[in-house]
Amino acid sequence: MEEKVTKYRQLYITTRDAILIAPLTAAQLTTFKAQLADLKPVGLNGLAKKIGQAYLDLVSANLTYSSQQLIFVLNLNHDHSTIPLPLSAEQLQTWQKTQAPEYPLFTRNPFLYNGLSIDEVAAEALL
């Protein structure tokens, strides 16, 4: 996968982890929005463009609802459409405290299919 997709993935992880700690400050929000603007999917083609766009959608959703401490995962549908779905930081923290199997899945994989957490390789196949 192209290096730019790695940057999209990293920005998603960075925004997600920051939101897990606390609602984003105005300075963080400004910084993340600037980083997002620099990463528009110019020059990406095919599958790289689809997975890159998926990460861009997730980062945009994370930034839009950051004050509510919502972290988004992307539900992939049978018809190849996608819908960002929110998870509250509180839910993830509860899963972490109870050592629920959902915690490592949702903090490692930002994609869902049929309600199950899937990794990027599976997401690529579905996109």
Side-chain angles (χ1 to χ4, degrees):
M1 194 65 53
E2 295 188 29
E3 179 183 331
K4 209 167 193 186
V5 173
T6 302
K7 291 179 183 180
Y8 296 149
R9 182 185 315 110
Q10 188 57 48
L11 184 57
Y12 169 75
I13 291 167
T14 303
T15 60
R16 182 202 62 209
D17 291 350
I19 292 167
L20 273 172
I21 295 168
L24 298 181
T25 65
Q28 286 175 307
L29 200 53
T30 300
T31 300
F32 288 143
K33 284 183 178 182
Q35 290 173 353
L36 180 61
D38 290 341
L39 290 178
K40 293 301 178 197
V42 176
L44 293 177
N45 297 310
L47 190 54
K49 185 174 183 174
K50 289 180 181 182
I51 200 77
Q53 188 61 54
Y55 278 115
L56 285 175
D57 292 345
L58 287 169
V59 171
S60 294
N62 279 353
L63 297 179
T64 301
Y65 297 98
S66 64
S67 63
Q68 288 91 5
Q69 272 191 284
L70 294 175
I71 298 129
F72 284 80
V73 293
L74 198 64
N75 187 65
L76 305 171
N77 301 312
H78 296 286
D79 65 355
H80 304 286
S81 63
T82 59
I83 299 172
L85 300 173
L87 288 173
S88 71
E90 182 180 283
Q91 180 64 62
L92 285 173
Q93 290 163 353
T94 299
W95 284 339
Q96 183 182 28
K97 288 176 190 172
T98 62
Q99 297 179 351
E102 292 88 352
Y103 179 76
L105 289 174
F106 284 105
T107 55
R108 186 175 57 238
N109 301 324
F111 304 105
L112 287 175
Y113 183 72
N114 287 337
L116 300 172
S117 177
I118 60 172
D119 64 12
E120 190 174 294
V121 174
E124 288 173 1
L126 292 166
L127 288 171

